Amino acid sequence: VNINDITHRVMENGEFHRKKIQKTLSDAINIEVPYNFERIAFYVTGGSHTLIKEWMSIMEATEQLTLDTVWLARLKQDFRSARVTDDEMCGALRRAHAELSYVADPHTAVAMAAAEKLGYDFTTEVPSPKEMVPMVILATASPCKFQEAVTVALGEDGWKRWEEDSFPCRAKSTLEMEENEMHHYPKKEDSSLSEVQSEW
């Protein structure tokens, strides 16, 4: 995860506590409270609807859920995580580019940096030690959507080279299309929301 690390905190110390979002270069994973934690909890508890409902009720009421040591130990049996800063994400993106000639989107680069923190080397095909579970990183998007992050990592020249050599054709043709004029429907003071919507 990036520095918005509620998932990492629950896996490290059992603290599923809401915190204010911080801006990052991997903004699609800037998550305050991940909805899919319930799925992980369901798996870890062996499908205990009652316990999950209790946990989520506590979270909804207090914005904090702290797993006890038994459930934290159970969670750690199957899951590991790492917290990744923007600098670490950019470093992983640069390494992938330099060593694999691959430009990742920032969210995939977060996964690459997390893998490194957990002891994996994504830049080589050398097998990990036998005690380590094999790792797979799935790319989540095209870097063409994340010019700012790629430019921070690779510099203006790096972005321009990638844009010239590898920018997806369909995305390029979309950018070259004429933009449709935007329609604006301001709400009149004496109109209800449904009246404005019917005009849309």
Side-chain angles (χ1 to χ4, degrees):
V1 299
N2 65 20
I3 61 171
N4 297 297
D5 61 353
I6 185 169
T7 304
H8 177 63
R9 284 182 279 119
V10 73
M11 291 184 184
E12 282 296 296
N13 56 32
E15 292 181 0
F16 193 64
H17 298 182
R18 181 191 296 265
K19 284 189 178 177
K20 190 173 164 70
I21 291 284
Q22 298 178 63
K23 174 139 176 55
T24 70
L25 292 170
S26 52
D27 57 353
I29 55 174
N30 288 344
I31 298 169
E32 210 168 19
V33 178
Y35 66 88
N36 58 1
F37 175 71
E38 289 178 58
R39 295 177 190 166
I40 293 171
F42 186 78
Y43 167 79
V44 167
T45 61
S48 175
H49 297 82
T50 308
L51 186 54
I52 303 306
K53 184 175 181 181
E54 180 186 325
W55 285 353
M56 293 303 105
S57 295
I58 292 168
M59 184 64 187
E60 190 174 326
T62 66
E63 298 190 340
Q64 294 189 351
L65 169 69
T66 303
L67 299 181
D68 66 33
T69 55
V70 172
W71 286 118
L72 177 58
R74 174 63 190 92
L75 184 65
K76 287 185 173 195
Q77 284 177 5
D78 291 332
F79 295 97
R80 294 172 67 208
S81 72
R83 179 185 190 272
V84 174
T85 66
D86 276 350
D87 286 345
E88 292 165 331
M89 178 277 294
C90 286
L93 203 155
R94 279 190 293 275
R95 280 188 296 287
H97 181 246
E99 297 180 37
L100 304 172
S101 299
Y102 175 72
V103 176
D105 71 273
H107 310 95
T108 303
V110 166
M112 292 173 174
E116 288 181 319
K117 284 186 156 190
L118 296 173
Y120 293 94
D121 182 353
F122 68 83
T123 64
T124 180
E125 293 184 20
V126 174
S128 299
K130 287 186 181 174
E131 67 273 10
M132 294 183 74
V133 174
M135 176 208 41
V136 174
I137 295 175
L138 301 177
T140 55
S142 169
C144 74
K145 296 168 56 180
F146 304 99
Q147 180 176 354
E148 178 189 5
V150 174
T151 301
V152 169
L154 302 181
E156 287 285 345
D157 289 343
W159 168 262
K160 283 181 181 157
R161 274 193 306 277
W162 181 83
E163 188 178 30
E164 288 166 8
D165 299 341
S166 304
F167 204 88
C169 295
R170 287 180 64 194
K172 198 176 283 189
S173 66
T174 300
L175 289 174
E176 291 166 356
M177 291 172 70
E178 188 176 324
E179 276 192 50
N180 291 328
E181 184 181 335
M182 188 173 77
H183 296 285
H184 179 66
Y185 296 99
K187 182 180 182 304
K188 301 177 186 111
E189 286 201 28
D190 57 342
S191 301
S192 69
L193 178 60
S194 62
E195 288 171 330
V196 173
Q197 287 175 332
S198 69
E199 191 180 330
W200 297 350

